[in-house]
Amino acid sequence: MISCSWYPTKLLLLNDDIKIRVSSSCNKYSFCHFSKFKKENIRPDGRELGEFRATLLNVGTINTAHGSALVKLGNTTILCGVKGEFAAPPVNEPKKGYLVPNVELPPLCSSQFKVGPPSEQAQVVSQLIDDIVRSSNLINLESLNIAEGVVLSGGESVYFFCVGTGVAPGFACCWGATKLPERGPKALSKLSWVLHCDMICLDYDGNIVDASLIALLAALKNVLLPAVRIDEDTGRAVTSQEGSIPLKLSCQPVATSFVVFDDTILLADPTKEEEGLATGAVTVVVNEEGDICSVHKPGKEGALYLPRKFMTASGDVSRDLRKLDSWLRKHWRVVKDDVPTGAYDLD
Amino acid sequence: MSGLELLSDQGFRLDGRRPRELRKIECKMGVFQQANGSAYIEQGNTKALATVYGPHEVTGNRSKIEHDKVLINCQYSMATFSTGERRSRSTGDRKSQEMQLHLKKTFEAAILTQLYPRSQIDIYVQILQADGGNYSACVNAATLAIIDAGIPMKDFVCASTAGFVSDTPIADISYLEESQGGPELVVALLPKSDQIVEFQVNSRLHLDNFEKVLDMAIKGCKDVHAVLTRVVKDHVGQLASKMSKT
């Protein structure tokens, strides 16, 4: 039992054996409030320090998207929708397509976000997800190529250009091709998929990186791209629902975020309040082979201490790693197998 | 007009509904933790989400403060993946701005605005999947969210649409029926007092037929009201049983 002052106090019952007395002069979001829980190695919502919140996953919720998934990590809710569009491949890499992740933090999800252009945090998270996708080789971008170096009959130079955007499922004919002035008998036509992965935060209660990455992975697993054929006579790209193909992912990176409290204590899967009080944060991304794909640790807090904590496996540290491991296993189970449409409880 | 037959000889619509039948409505209140009030609604394939924050202090431009009533701030956004073709931006385009204004006017008419002078209420609506009747889905979701937030209103606001195909008024039209170029009526109603708070007609409709179509839209609103009332009662019942347990 802990009591910090003579002020009127209220008793927080966490489970059968732990009771924490919190002075009502302590603000719920204050350091003082939090310190009391810290001593008991428990958090205000009843979790242990390394415990993650219950996770729910719902795959294929949005019919208008090519792939979609909704993730609930405690109260944090992220909806990811993937939409494919045609685009000309990058000039220096004509065999590749694009994957464009974008995280939105609209004012709808929390009162701390304002109406207007994307906030700094939204841009940082988007960039972080993009870096993770790149560094983990999540998807072979060459598999997003549709037509590269197709020599069209008749020796005409035909070049695809994108007028309309996107592919309405089930509709053939997306755009026309123009005939450029004769540039030689054999010109190459180039066409690739660009996958726009929009992750919208619907309820913000901390740790959006982990939630966004699960949502992204599950949505990509759910993607069915229509088959594309290039009509040799007209030079048009024709899509059809028959023969649509699921996307192949080369690995399953899962992110795990911790915040550093008091420079010594690590809290896994932080809530919004914990993120606000913490002195530092770290996100580690590991794939199913156990390779670290990315480590993100802004700020100087615990700079020396943290890497060791993750890289070695002794004493206290191994406990953290085990926690990490069970968390990853749980999430990999879902993202690893082919996830059919439906709702899942990951616990 | 395309060759699609919107109403078959047997009197069925493309999705198998009768002319006066609404699409299936599924809704849930109190879906999110951060917001003061929230609700999710599915009307057929149209899926919308509404969250309400407030009443709170006026944020941002202080010149917007109203001294005798609450300031209502609406934001309407459509997810980029909500439509058949990807939208390049989810909010801030002209269509969204127009929708925002309509929603603001609708709820100014229904919320007891004089109770919270110099304050602000934020209503955020998000379309997750669009299949016609976006405005009505938003209004219905926002009504539930406002009730969830405990903000007093004169009455529920229920919205529905109606169209007119081969001399027959049809209720709650879908995207396919909307896009065929026929007339579309959008009505938001305070069902208890039969007051219309928002009314809009797109395309031409002969005056002789007007009454029939309007009646159909109003009937749609009343049907929606019956569903929403049931949902609110269920929700409150669940809350009450939870409270009595603790």
Side-chain angles (χ1 to χ4, degrees):
Chain A
M1 287 268 261
I2 316 163
S3 176
C4 78
S5 65
W6 294 105
Y7 287 106
T9 53
K10 63 178 175 184
L11 211 60
L12 268 110
L13 279 171
L14 294 162
N15 50 40
D16 293 340
D17 28 82
I18 302 169
K19 296 187 182 93
I20 295 184
R21 201 178 281 277
V22 177
S23 148
S24 57
S25 66
C26 274
N27 185 308
K28 190 184 159 205
Y29 304 117
S30 73
F31 195 79
C32 149
H33 174 83
F34 208 81
S35 312
K36 296 192 187 72
F37 290 95
K38 197 185 69 190
K39 281 186 206 147
E40 296 284 326
N41 272 353
I42 200 149
R43 295 151 77 173
D45 53 7
R47 279 188 288 162
E48 281 177 40
L49 302 185
E51 200 177 329
F52 294 85
R53 290 173 285 181
T55 315
L56 284 166
L57 181 64
N58 203 334
V59 185
T61 35
I62 305 293
N63 307 337
T64 44
H66 286 123
S68 62
L70 180 109
V71 168
K72 261 187 109 118
L73 186 57
N75 287 323
T76 298
T77 311
I78 306 265
L79 175 67
C80 176
V82 179
K83 212 121 166 83
E85 273 182 6
F86 290 160
V91 179
N92 50 350
E93 291 167 316
K95 286 185 179 171
K96 288 190 174 176
Y98 309 83
L99 191 137
V100 189
N102 180 39
V103 177
E104 271 180 62
L105 295 171
L108 171 139
C109 71
S110 164
S111 50
Q112 77 188 75
F113 302 112
K114 298 282 164 274
V115 179
S119 63
E120 212 166 56
Q121 194 188 352
Q123 294 181 45
V124 167
V125 178
S126 298
Q127 186 59 45
L128 181 61
I129 300 275
D130 193 33
D131 290 344
I132 292 170
V133 166
R134 277 168 208 280
S135 61
S136 65
N137 270 330
L138 174 62
I139 190 166
N140 180 8
L141 290 179
E142 289 188 10
S143 67
L144 297 178
N145 188 271
I146 299 167
E148 195 268 330
V150 173
V151 181
L152 293 167
S153 60
E156 286 167 333
S157 329
V158 179
Y159 192 82
F160 291 102
F161 75 110
C162 310
V163 275
T165 49
V167 186
F171 286 88
C173 164
C174 290
W175 51 69
T178 49
K179 282 176 188 161
L180 294 177
E182 219 42 58
R183 263 206 259 146
K186 284 182 181 178
L188 303 178
S189 62
K190 293 168 187 156
L191 196 63
S192 284
W193 283 110
V194 46
L195 296 182
H196 291 280
C197 310
D198 289 289
M199 286 154 271
I200 309 179
C201 180
L202 302 176
D203 198 8
Y204 182 86
D205 193 19
N207 200 8
I208 45 167
V209 177
D210 294 13
S212 303
L213 199 62
I214 300 171
L216 175 69
L217 226 59
L220 284 174
K221 289 242 161 200
N222 181 239
V223 166
L224 266 185
L225 287 176
V228 186
R229 187 174 55 82
I230 303 225
D231 191 318
E232 293 210 353
D233 299 329
T234 58
R236 282 164 191 264
V238 182
T239 62
S240 65
Q241 285 309 95
E242 275 120 71
S244 48
I245 30 164
L247 215 56
K248 263 218 172 73
L249 300 186
S250 28
C251 69
Q252 283 95 27
V254 172
T256 316
S257 296
F258 297 87
V259 289
V260 190
F261 195 69
D262 232 11
D263 224 10
T264 46
I265 300 172
L266 282 183
L267 300 182
D269 187 19
T271 62
K272 191 170 91 171
E273 283 83 50
E274 287 162 349
E275 277 182 353
L277 289 171
T279 46
V282 62
T283 302
V284 187
V285 185
V286 188
N287 70 7
E288 73 275 28
E289 306 284 316
D291 304 327
I292 294 177
C293 306
S294 166
V295 178
H296 180 69
K297 204 202 82 61
K300 76 165 187 34
E301 297 298 333
L304 281 171
Y305 169 70
L306 281 169
R308 245 183 296 144
K309 186 138 186 160
F310 285 106
M311 308 311 167
T312 63
S314 62
D316 202 30
V317 182
S318 63
R319 200 194 64 208
D320 282 349
L321 281 177
R322 265 206 305 278
K323 287 278 180 209
L324 183 77
D325 198 48
S326 71
W327 156 257
L328 293 174
R329 261 174 224 292
K330 208 163 66 184
H331 288 84
W332 276 328
R333 197 187 67 223
V334 172
V335 288
K336 205 167 183 173
D337 312 323
D338 288 331
V339 194
T341 304
Y344 300 89
D345 189 345
L346 299 195
D347 294 283
Chain B
M1 294 281 259
S2 80
L4 276 177
E5 199 181 51
L6 290 179
L7 202 61
S8 73
D9 297 337
Q10 288 77 33
F12 287 106
R13 290 152 71 176
L14 285 171
D15 47 9
R17 282 186 286 160
R18 297 265 181 203
R20 52 179 292 173
E21 209 175 320
L22 298 186
R23 290 174 290 178
K24 191 181 182 199
I25 301 179
E26 296 243 28
C27 35
K28 207 173 170 196
M29 289 169 74
V31 283
F32 296 131
Q33 181 93 124
Q34 296 293 319
N36 297 109
S38 58
Y40 170 76
I41 195 164
E42 275 180 26
Q43 291 189 254
N45 281 325
T46 302
K47 298 173 184 175
L49 196 62
T51 62
V52 170
Y53 289 87
H56 56 74
E57 211 178 326
V58 174
T59 51
N61 194 351
R62 298 193 60 81
S63 64
K64 282 194 207 149
I65 294 179
E66 308 231 28
H67 294 270
D68 53 345
K69 58 179 185 177
V70 67
L71 171 73
I72 293 178
N73 170 36
C74 284
Q75 208 206 8
Y76 170 86
S77 53
M78 285 178 88
T80 48
F81 47 77
S82 64
T83 46
E85 285 207 352
R86 184 177 184 269
R87 296 166 56 87
S88 52
R89 57 191 299 188
S90 57
T91 179
D93 54 325
R94 285 210 190 178
K95 224 175 159 186
S96 309
Q97 303 253 342
E98 187 200 1
M99 194 68 103
Q100 252 156 250
L101 194 75
H102 285 314
L103 287 170
K104 186 180 149 107
K105 293 284 170 204
T106 306
F107 285 101
E108 270 176 358
I111 292 175
L112 299 177
T113 50
Q114 73 280 8
L115 293 181
Y116 308 102
R118 306 174 64 83
S119 320
Q120 180 179 342
I121 295 172
D122 297 316
I123 303 171
Y124 299 119
V125 286
Q126 169 98 43
I127 294 282
L128 300 175
Q129 189 176 314
D131 185 33
N134 292 352
Y135 171 81
S136 27
C138 286
V139 168
N140 298 333
T143 300
L144 291 179
I146 292 168
I147 292 171
D148 186 38
I151 295 168
M153 286 199 289
K154 287 180 191 140
D155 193 359
F156 282 64
V157 196
C158 299
S160 189
T161 57
F164 193 65
V165 171
S166 41
D167 276 339
T168 320
I170 51 172
D172 190 22
I173 56 180
S174 67
Y175 176 74
L176 209 56
E177 291 162 335
E178 228 173 55
S179 54
Q180 298 302 313
E184 181 194 8
L185 257 81
V186 184
V187 177
L189 190 75
L190 303 181
K192 284 272 164 61
S193 50
D194 272 338
Q195 282 176 316
I196 292 177
V197 285
E198 166 82 22
F199 178 65
Q200 209 181 332
V201 188
N202 302 326
S203 182
R204 285 176 307 156
L205 175 66
H206 196 275
L207 213 52
D208 293 349
N209 302 321
F210 174 73
E211 201 119 323
K212 282 194 282 185
V213 187
L214 181 62
D215 284 346
M216 184 57 91
I218 289 180
K219 206 198 134 288
C221 293
K222 298 215 161 158
D223 289 350
V224 170
H225 179 235
V227 177
L228 298 193
T229 318
R230 203 191 62 227
V231 170
V232 172
K233 279 187 179 158
D234 285 355
H235 180 70
V236 174
Q238 277 169 15
L239 282 183
S241 69
K242 263 187 203 164
M243 281 169 83
S244 61
K245 268 180 207 160
T246 50

